[in-house]
Amino acid sequence: MSTAAQLKELLASKIRASLEQAIQDGELRVDELPDIQLESPRDKSHGDFASNIAMVLAKPARMAPRAIAQMIVDRLRDPMIERLDIAGPGFINFSLSHQWLYDLLTLVHDQGSEFGASNDGEGEKVLLEFVSANPVGPMNVVNARAAAVGDTVARLMRAAGYEVGTEYYVNDAGNQAGIFGRSLEARYRQLQGEDIDFPEDGYPGDYVTELAQRLLQEAVPLEDMKPDERETFFKRWGTDRMVEQQQQDLAAYGVTFDVWFRERELHAAGALEEIIELFKSKGYMFEEDGALWFRSTQFGDDKDRVIIKQDGAYTYVTADIAYHYDKLKRGYTKLIDILGPDHHGYIGRMRAAVQALGYSSEAFEVLILQYVALLRNGQQVKMSKRAGEFITMQDLLDEVGKDAARYFFLMRSPESHLDFDLSLAAEQSSENPVFYVQYAHARICSMLRQAGEAGHGVLDTRQAPLDALQRPEELDLIKKMAELPEEIAAAARYREPHRIARYALDFAGLFHSFYTHCRVLGEEPAVRDARLVLVAAVQVVLRRVLDLLGVDAPETM
RNA sequence: GCGCCUGUAGCUCAGGGGAUAGAGCAUCGGACUUCUAAUCCGAGUGCCGCAGGUUCGAUUCCUGCCAGGCGCGCCA
């Protein structure tokens, strides 16, 4: 039982053995053998697997690629290999007997919802931080994109053998949290009938007033507090409520975090002072213009960064350094931050900080998501924060639903600008790719239901007459399944969830094509039983893939 | 000015050293007495932004340029 990845390794070792034999025979002269790569050819006429090794060796061996290929082919014998062709400029194409595909169905059924897993990540401890929207207002569509991408990257990395923690960093101690607290207090007092001005830089949204109303109903004895206690109270109570809201919204979106990390806890633990002392002792700090600076340019940043402002307050960078230090001290060897497009300037300073803390710059990695343009009926939706006209994450989910939202965000490569067509996403039609995939799953459920009612269960794969599967539609489906482990591993390694969204679409397409061309129920028993095993395996794979994307797999549509 | 992202079919986007460059949508033409037609089958379209370079081979890697988007706080 082998996946495509395992077979590639096997074939590579056979090629290597042939080459070594050729060297021994004195027919080939090279200093060393390069890595032997096998690929899954796009074009079916090129066999199951193909290698370009003859072309790679052409120069060092000073021989024609096709002659090298012939030399390899002459020495390659294996019962598994049905046909070997030399094609084009010197490709070696392998056509295998169908047995490996039948075996793969057994593997899929044995592994079930685990199918596709690998140990590509070798247990590397990765901390994935994403969204981390300030707890002072509703989340926006870039936050929604970050949530979908981050959550699916985490799922993919776990499937690919990484040890992943997910975190949401709550900026509940900074400037903006303070402004938010003052905004809330102002609304609260206005509701009590006081005639006071709303802070000039305050948050104008209705949600602040709604929170103030809620606080009023809770009848907290604020009169007994001193002014600074009141300020702390409003800030803390307000941001805590916002965090609760964010947690709810994200959970409804299928996104949960292992840890919600509060900035204020860093402050309370003295973590910022610790950083300052550490950097001072290492000579990375200097004073200028009444402020304390981190000489980040020493580590490749484009300018130095203020750590303590003239007014004695810390900057956000200080807390962020402390936070990342905390992550590193917890044993994570790779910190991945998923950030919005307005934060790319942040990479240099954090990378500098990580190095200053004594870690490799490679321990810190940033995935920058690009801008999301919302379209409705082909027109771009204009948003103005100042006028309070913007589409929140919640609006988006209300309009298109969780599954379409996640799928649309995951469809595109994370670092590409994204045109999100709200009209299309909300449409329950064939034009909407998410339904296309879900429909494949629903169709399978319906078939298996009817098969079961007719008394035809899915046989154990070892009992089923799988060699009845001979049609290209059947074999193509299985081949595609065989590629899932490498697809997941690649998607995890490059942090590219769109590979899986595309895989889902392609795989569903293969199934729909099979469905049209091959009947299951009503065929002669051997064909029926073999196809039922196949269809059940397709169901397993579709569920796996949809689960990785965080999209539901409905049984009926 | 500097930095990040993006230029591939009419539109939205895949493909990131290899064999005739792909998908969806849109357009046109077919396929339901049979497991869900939310489906399938067929048809056309491309100086892969431009110019150099590396390579046996470049849409893919490197450099420069052009175009678009977004950043460049003692805000986060």
Side-chain angles (χ1 to χ4, degrees):
Chain A
M1 280 188 279
S2 306
T3 62
Q6 290 162 334
L7 279 171
K8 286 175 182 177
E9 261 177 58
L10 186 69
L11 293 174
S13 72
K14 291 194 178 298
I15 292 174
R16 176 171 296 274
S18 297
L19 287 168
E20 280 162 359
Q21 185 62 48
I23 292 171
Q24 226 166 46
D25 296 345
E27 289 186 33
L28 179 70
R29 260 173 231 170
V30 284
D31 295 336
E32 60 178 320
L33 292 178
D35 263 359
I36 298 169
Q37 301 292 335
L38 273 289
E39 59 172 295
S40 307
R42 209 182 182 85
D43 187 332
K44 262 188 274 178
S45 67
H46 297 148
D48 293 312
F49 299 100
S51 177
N52 65 350
I53 185 67
M55 278 121 77
V56 175
L57 280 171
K59 192 164 193 193
R62 287 196 290 179
M63 285 177 72
R66 293 187 67 108
I68 298 172
Q70 189 61 52
M71 206 161 60
I72 295 167
V73 167
D74 286 345
R75 291 169 175 75
L76 241 176
R77 286 288 169 272
D78 193 288
M80 187 175 72
I81 300 172
E82 202 153 78
R83 221 179 67 225
L84 275 170
D85 295 306
I86 297 168
F91 288 99
I92 303 172
N93 294 335
F94 295 80
S95 303
L96 307 188
S97 77
H98 293 165
Q99 191 56 45
W100 78 280
L101 295 172
Y102 305 148
D103 289 347
L104 190 94
L105 291 179
T106 302
L107 187 68
V108 171
H109 283 292
D110 285 354
Q111 295 192 343
S113 62
E114 294 296 307
F115 177 71
S118 67
N119 189 33
D120 204 63
E122 297 177 325
E124 183 175 11
K125 280 198 76 177
V126 176
L127 195 133
L128 207 52
E129 183 205 331
F130 54 103
V131 187
S132 298
N134 279 335
V136 297
M139 290 182 284
N140 60 32
V141 292
V142 174
N143 296 141
R145 185 178 191 180
V149 168
D151 185 61
T152 288
V153 167
R155 293 176 195 226
L156 288 167
M157 292 185 82
R158 284 176 179 136
Y162 298 80
E163 194 183 322
V164 181
T166 56
E167 286 192 22
Y168 188 120
Y169 178 59
V170 181
N171 286 103
D172 56 3
N175 230 337
Q176 300 192 0
I179 295 168
F180 177 67
R182 287 192 287 282
S183 305
L184 181 61
E185 179 169 8
R187 290 295 185 225
Y188 180 86
R189 293 169 66 174
Q190 285 173 348
L191 284 173
Q192 285 187 316
E194 283 187 58
D195 181 23
I196 57 159
D197 289 336
F198 191 70
E200 204 171 304
D201 53 359
Y203 290 93
D206 291 340
Y207 63 94
V208 182
T209 313
E210 285 162 20
L211 271 184
Q213 256 153 1
R214 193 170 139 194
L215 183 57
L216 209 54
Q217 280 162 11
E218 291 191 11
V220 180
L222 290 161
E223 299 71 25
D224 306 342
M225 294 183 185
K226 293 178 202 147
D228 63 323
E229 282 175 346
R230 279 175 70 108
E231 183 169 343
T232 302
F233 173 83
F234 276 106
K235 183 164 83 173
R236 177 173 287 224
W237 189 89
T239 53
D240 282 352
R241 296 297 81 73
M242 293 306 293
V243 168
E244 284 167 4
Q245 187 63 50
Q246 290 174 342
Q247 286 173 329
Q248 278 174 29
D249 291 351
L250 286 164
Y253 191 45
V255 179
T256 54
F257 289 85
D258 296 327
V259 172
W260 287 71
F261 196 103
R262 255 75 172 181
E263 180 185 355
R264 69 183 185 222
E265 288 174 11
L266 284 172
H267 290 265
L272 282 71
E273 289 80 0
E274 188 190 341
I275 288 295
I276 290 164
E277 287 315 309
L278 183 66
F279 279 14
K280 270 185 181 165
S281 72
K282 292 188 175 186
Y284 301 151
M285 296 292 218
F286 65 96
E287 286 186 46
E288 197 174 287
D289 302 331
L292 185 67
W293 298 67
F294 165 40
R295 200 182 298 282
S296 57
T297 50
Q298 192 176 334
F299 299 97
D301 195 6
D302 50 6
K303 54 180 91 159
D304 294 323
R305 305 294 165 179
V306 170
I307 291 293
I308 300 180
K309 295 186 272 187
Q310 277 181 350
D311 66 4
Y314 299 111
T315 62
Y316 75 94
V317 186
T318 316
D320 276 357
I321 294 171
Y323 175 43
H324 284 76
Y325 190 36
D326 187 273
K327 294 179 188 175
L328 290 164
K329 283 195 293 191
R330 281 185 272 149
Y332 290 103
T333 53
K334 175 79 85 180
L335 311 182
I336 303 178
D337 290 6
I338 298 182
L339 303 173
D342 48 338
H343 282 67
H344 86 262
Y346 172 97
I347 301 172
R349 68 202 70 167
M350 278 315 297
R351 179 152 286 148
V354 166
Q355 289 174 83
L357 290 166
Y359 295 85
S360 157
S361 69
E362 298 195 354
F364 180 68
E365 181 183 315
V366 178
L367 198 56
I368 293 283
L369 300 177
Q370 294 300 320
Y371 183 67
V372 177
L374 292 176
L375 304 175
R376 192 180 275 128
N377 304 319
Q379 297 287 315
Q380 183 157 352
V381 180
K382 298 276 182 227
M383 289 194 263
S384 157
K385 228 173 196 170
R386 189 166 298 169
E389 292 167 7
F390 54 92
I391 308 270
T392 65
M393 174 170 146
Q394 205 49 51
D395 297 336
L396 180 75
L397 292 184
D398 290 345
E399 188 162 343
V400 309
K402 176 200 79 156
D403 290 339
R406 284 190 69 129
Y407 195 87
F408 273 59
F409 283 127
L410 294 171
M411 233 169 21
R412 304 293 179 227
S413 117
E415 303 202 343
S416 297
H417 302 264
L418 173 67
D419 281 349
F420 193 118
D421 188 332
L422 291 164
S423 319
L424 177 61
E427 212 172 298
Q428 308 215 347
S429 80
S430 56
E431 287 152 42
N432 190 337
V434 70
F435 285 100
Y436 183 85
V437 179
Q438 290 181 314
Y439 181 48
H441 183 264
R443 266 185 152 175
I444 290 170
C445 292
S446 171
M447 284 170 87
L448 294 178
R449 214 158 37 229
Q450 291 178 49
E453 283 162 9
H456 307 305
V458 177
L459 297 180
D460 185 282
T461 52
R462 291 164 185 86
Q463 251 81 80
L466 294 180
D467 54 5
L469 302 173
Q470 294 290 342
R471 301 213 16 152
E473 291 87 357
E474 300 166 326
L475 303 175
D476 288 349
L477 261 177
I478 309 175
K479 266 185 217 175
K480 192 74 181 175
M481 292 184 213
E483 286 166 13
L484 184 62
E486 334 173 55
E487 291 287 347
I488 292 176
R493 184 182 304 167
Y494 302 116
R495 337 294 189 213
E496 291 181 339
H498 69 286
R499 289 166 180 263
I500 300 302
R502 176 155 285 267
Y503 177 93
L505 204 58
D506 291 345
F507 186 62
L510 289 174
F511 172 75
H512 285 307
S513 181
F514 161 82
Y515 183 91
T516 307
H517 295 107
C518 305
R519 285 196 59 79
V520 178
L521 273 37
E523 289 291 309
E524 58 169 289
V527 172
R528 179 198 64 211
D529 288 343
R531 285 183 178 164
L532 280 173
V533 169
L534 171 63
V535 166
V538 173
Q539 182 187 45
V540 168
V541 171
L542 272 178
R543 281 189 181 157
R544 177 77 208 254
V545 164
L546 286 170
D547 181 61
L548 288 166
L549 297 172
V551 173
D552 290 340
E555 305 220 339
T556 57
M557 289 185 74

